[in-house]
Amino acid sequence: MLSAQSLALIDREVAKYPADQKRSAVMGALRIALEERRSTGETPEARCLNQEVIEFVANYLEIPPVAAYEVATFYNMYDMKPVGKYKITVCTNLPCALRGGVNAAEYISHKLGIAIGETSSDGMYTLLEGECMGACGDAPVLLVNNHSMCSFMTSEAIDKKLAELK
Amino acid sequence: MAVFVNGVIFDGVDTAAADAWRLDAYVARGGYQALRKILDSKLPQEDVIAEVKNSGLRGRGGAGFPTGLKWSFMPRSFPGDKYVVCNTDEGEPGTFKDRDILRFNPHSLIEGMIIAGYAMGTKAGYNYIHGEVFAEYLRFEEALEEARKAGFLGQNILGTDFSFELYAHHGYGAYICGEETALLESLEGKKGQPRFKPPFPASFGLYGKPTTINNTESFASVPFIIRDGAQKFLEAGKPNNGGTKLFSVSGHVNRPGNYEIPLGTPFSTLLEMAGGMKDGKKLKAVIPGGSSAPILPAEIMMNCTMDYDSISKAGSMLGSGAVIVMNEDVCMIKALERLAFFYHEESCGQCTPCREGTGWLYRVIHRIANGQGRPGDLELLDSVGNNMAGRTICALADAAVFPVRSFTKHFRHEFEYAIEHGKTLVDHKWC
């Protein structure tokens, strides 16, 4: 179900923990599984985690499926719902809001024609509001697909970024 | 932007240089000398701990607990596995200092953790890194690899019989994992739900083994203390508040960023360093220690110095050193509404008073902010808060209540006006 490359990455995670504590690797393993689905999935449904993948990861780590499932649903960066090719998460928490975080989210919403929480009908973009990303000095801040942080996102910077995300 | 003045952790770090974070640059700045000093002189463990105690270093994650004292709680002679864990799960709104340590000086953290491992007789450590900072997680992994290759990490460090291994664990989006026992649960591959204390991590921590958890900045301060001496670190701050501290300044200033300055520096000086108020607006209020710290009005804040004791005396806390600056255009109800939403969103749901209470706080503040406040709402907020604070396993409920209490205390007239008139007193502008 996952590529050899993903499994090798998961093995690297497993090696970080004591031999009898493979469960510790579940967070990394789910991230790696999600990354594979995001990069290979052709539709919003194919880009998120689902029960099958979670069970696969659980079996791979020899833990009960529910143990992996509860982790996937507890941490908010795991996509459990269909998601666009580009998931844009804008921080609107107080320190960011004081420097344009809310304006940035509204600007993107207007430009993409989707409300916060929605995915565009062509399946290209999902717009989310995020909580503190630990980069308040760089506000407005947004994340693209969980891992790429973009700092100082003025309207011009957003225009440029969206032009790249095609 | 990062600005460092008279720093300890960032002493000599050129943040503009692309390779300043690498091992070579760190060694050129005097890095790993502290570790060599300890290993060459076979310094007894208790002497290392005494040095950290004497430095007056207090935990930089928020609680301000003396680091050396915490280290002394570890059962050093315990024969089985023991762990040191670093808390880089930096998600307290306003705090962004640890990210800069990973970006610009990761080896200071690695060296600090190795020294901690030596002092407490542990063989392994983990650094738990905030989910949203993936690039910094990758950089830290790379720095670990450099340290391993150079013989600073792994088996028989620098040819001695001391061995220590260090790994990075990447979080995936849960504020609660900044709470140390939730972090341990998460490291074990579970939901990040805090544990009852006692037992404390020093006796029952990661995998049930003795564990010491410190903040990134605390560990990163240790190499300086060992290399240059506790006295020099202590003198960099003020009595009972040793050292310099990283302050993350955000909000309505001209130059937001991290400022590493001596503890005890006047707030007015820090504000000046950060370029003063943006657009020449008037300072209204400051949250001096991250979103969980009580807010202070400008007139109180301008008389504070930036250290644990002064901020505590003024009725707030230094917390993580996150200084959120707000100007006169901010409606305090709107500001509080956003924080209340955050705590509601991030409550782990384990304890009923917090799970339900954070929702109540948010909904009541939301309706006041939107002109739907009812007579008695301020009393209701009080009552909900009183049924949350101190009644849960961890301090998230308290953290959600502190801002509500302090906002409604210092800016009560804004809340009363909004409830009475069905609109806010301040014509709110975020920026």
Side-chain angles (χ1 to χ4, degrees):
Chain A
M1 176 164 283
L2 293 177
S3 67
Q5 197 189 354
S6 290
L7 293 179
L9 287 172
I10 293 175
D11 291 343
R12 271 187 51 190
E13 292 296 312
V14 170
K16 292 177 178 178
Y17 309 96
D20 59 346
Q21 300 290 350
K22 277 171 103 171
R23 182 174 180 176
S24 281
V26 68
M27 291 186 71
L30 287 170
R31 162 173 53 83
I32 292 158
L34 178 61
E35 277 309 288
E36 179 172 329
R37 285 180 65 81
R38 191 194 302 290
S39 58
T40 57
E42 301 274 331
T43 63
E45 290 74 21
R47 291 187 195 108
C48 62
L49 291 176
N50 60 21
Q51 206 164 327
E52 264 181 292
V53 186
I54 294 170
E55 272 195 50
F56 177 86
V57 166
N59 291 333
Y60 192 76
L61 297 176
E62 297 163 334
I63 60 175
V66 69
Y69 193 78
E70 68 172 21
V71 166
T73 51
F74 184 85
Y75 298 90
N76 66 32
M77 287 164 69
Y78 296 113
D79 295 312
M80 293 296 291
K81 283 192 256 175
V83 63
K85 186 173 176 191
Y86 300 109
K87 180 175 83 163
I88 302 169
T89 314
V90 186
C91 179
T92 57
N93 208 315
L94 179 62
C96 274
L98 297 172
R99 298 197 74 85
V102 174
N103 307 7
E106 282 167 0
Y107 183 76
I108 298 172
S109 164
H110 178 76
K111 253 201 113 163
L112 296 179
I114 50 174
I116 290 168
E118 285 181 359
T119 298
S120 60
S121 53
D122 59 1
M124 283 294 282
Y125 306 100
T126 297
L127 177 61
L128 297 176
E129 203 174 17
E131 292 304 337
C132 189
M133 296 166 184
C136 325
D138 292 4
V141 174
L142 58 84
L143 284 180
V144 177
N145 291 346
N146 288 342
H147 293 170
S148 167
M149 185 179 280
C150 309
S151 299
F152 307 110
M153 296 309 278
T154 56
S155 303
E156 299 77 51
I158 290 170
D159 289 344
K160 205 169 149 234
K161 190 78 214 168
L162 289 179
E164 286 168 24
L165 303 179
K166 293 286 180 198
Chain B
M1 185 173 8
V3 183
F4 309 110
V5 188
N6 303 326
V8 164
I9 295 174
F10 286 104
D11 189 26
V13 178
D14 176 9
T15 55
D19 286 340
W21 65 275
R22 289 203 172 271
L23 180 77
D24 292 348
Y26 182 65
V27 169
R29 291 194 294 270
Y32 289 107
Q33 275 179 19
L35 179 65
R36 279 186 196 280
K37 183 174 156 184
I38 289 174
L39 294 178
D40 288 350
S41 64
K42 298 195 170 61
L43 199 65
Q45 291 174 321
E46 46 274 24
D47 289 10
V48 178
I49 294 178
E51 196 71 5
V52 176
K53 270 188 189 167
N54 293 339
S55 74
L57 173 64
R58 292 170 63 169
R60 302 299 199 224
F65 192 81
T67 304
L69 188 60
K70 199 181 216 180
W71 288 15
S72 71
F73 293 156
M74 276 284 269
R76 287 198 297 283
S77 52
F78 181 84
D81 292 335
K82 286 176 292 217
Y83 297 99
V84 287
V85 172
C86 177
N87 184 345
T88 313
D89 191 27
E90 180 177 57
E92 171 91 355
T95 316
F96 49 91
K97 63 190 180 65
D98 299 338
R99 172 174 172 246
D100 272 0
I101 294 177
L102 296 190
R103 275 161 106 191
F104 301 123
N105 208 10
H107 284 284
S108 66
L109 169 59
I110 296 172
E111 187 182 7
M113 289 191 74
I114 301 169
I115 293 170
Y118 175 90
M120 290 179 274
T122 70
K123 300 236 168 339
Y126 290 94
N127 181 19
Y128 189 105
I129 298 174
H130 191 49
E132 283 82 349
V133 293
F134 191 67
E136 286 74 15
Y137 164 74
L138 293 180
R139 173 166 292 187
F140 188 74
E141 287 271 37
E142 217 178 319
L144 285 176
E145 207 41 53
E146 285 185 326
R148 269 183 210 117
K149 280 198 183 127
F152 294 119
L153 263 183
Q155 291 296 310
N156 302 104
I157 292 174
L158 299 175
T160 65
D161 57 1
F162 170 59
S163 301
F164 182 79
E165 199 36 277
L166 181 57
Y167 305 97
H169 181 101
H170 187 225
Y172 228 55
Y175 168 69
I176 190 62
C177 292
E179 198 279 340
E180 61 178 12
T181 58
L183 183 149
L184 293 177
E185 288 288 299
S186 185
L187 250 178
E188 292 180 3
K190 300 170 188 162
K191 291 187 286 185
Q193 294 189 320
R195 299 173 181 171
F196 270 111
K197 288 193 272 192
F200 291 94
S203 55
F204 189 94
L206 182 64
Y207 310 128
K209 309 291 183 187
T211 302
T212 291
I213 304 145
N214 283 134
N215 173 258
T216 315
E217 188 185 350
S218 309
F219 278 126
S221 302
V222 169
F224 178 92
I225 293 168
I226 301 297
R227 194 191 64 196
D228 291 11
Q231 195 56 30
K232 195 163 169 200
F233 185 80
L234 189 62
E235 281 164 7
K238 69 179 223 188
N240 196 36
N241 297 267
T244 57
K245 167 95 191 77
L246 275 163
F247 290 101
S248 306
V249 184
S250 64
H252 294 142
V253 293
N254 279 312
R255 284 195 302 273
N258 282 313
Y259 295 84
E260 189 178 24
I261 55 174
L263 280 164
T265 303
F267 168 72
S268 54
T269 308
L270 178 59
L271 185 60
E272 244 171 67
M273 283 178 187
M277 294 299 292
K278 193 163 163 266
D279 306 325
K281 297 264 185 184
K282 202 170 146 223
L283 175 68
K284 180 172 184 177
V286 176
I287 304 179
S291 63
S292 311
I295 192 168
L296 294 174
E299 54 277 17
I300 296 180
M301 199 61 212
M302 288 305 277
N303 289 319
C304 285
T305 56
M306 298 307 292
D307 55 83
Y308 297 94
D309 296 342
S310 168
I311 300 286
S312 157
K313 213 169 135 195
S316 185
M317 55 188 199
L318 195 70
S320 55
V323 181
I324 306 171
V325 178
M326 287 175 259
N327 71 22
E328 56 198 322
D329 292 339
V330 178
C331 165
M332 287 295 127
I333 313 171
K334 296 273 187 200
L336 179 61
E337 180 191 16
R338 189 59 189 82
L339 290 180
F341 178 80
F342 167 72
Y343 288 106
H344 177 42
E345 184 77 13
E346 297 294 338
S347 172
C348 81
Q350 185 175 209
C351 308
T352 310
C354 177
R355 184 185 63 238
E356 302 302 321
T358 51
W360 272 92
L361 292 179
Y362 170 67
R363 288 188 297 272
V364 173
I365 295 161
H366 176 74
R367 76 185 181 212
I368 300 174
N370 287 282
Q372 311 285 315
R374 303 170 194 168
D377 269 357
L378 286 174
E379 292 72 23
L380 180 59
L381 287 175
D382 257 356
S383 155
V384 173
N386 290 338
N387 282 298
M388 295 169 63
R391 293 170 193 272
T392 51
I393 290 173
C394 85
L396 191 140
D398 302 75
V401 173
F402 285 157
V404 176
R405 282 185 183 158
S406 60
F407 274 74
T408 56
K409 175 184 161 195
H410 291 299
F411 300 96
R412 195 162 193 88
H413 59 286
E414 287 190 35
F415 289 82
E416 287 170 347
Y417 182 95
I419 291 170
E420 196 179 324
H421 295 85
K423 59 176 185 175
T424 57
L425 178 64
V426 178
D427 182 19
H428 174 72
K429 283 192 273 300
W430 281 122
C431 58

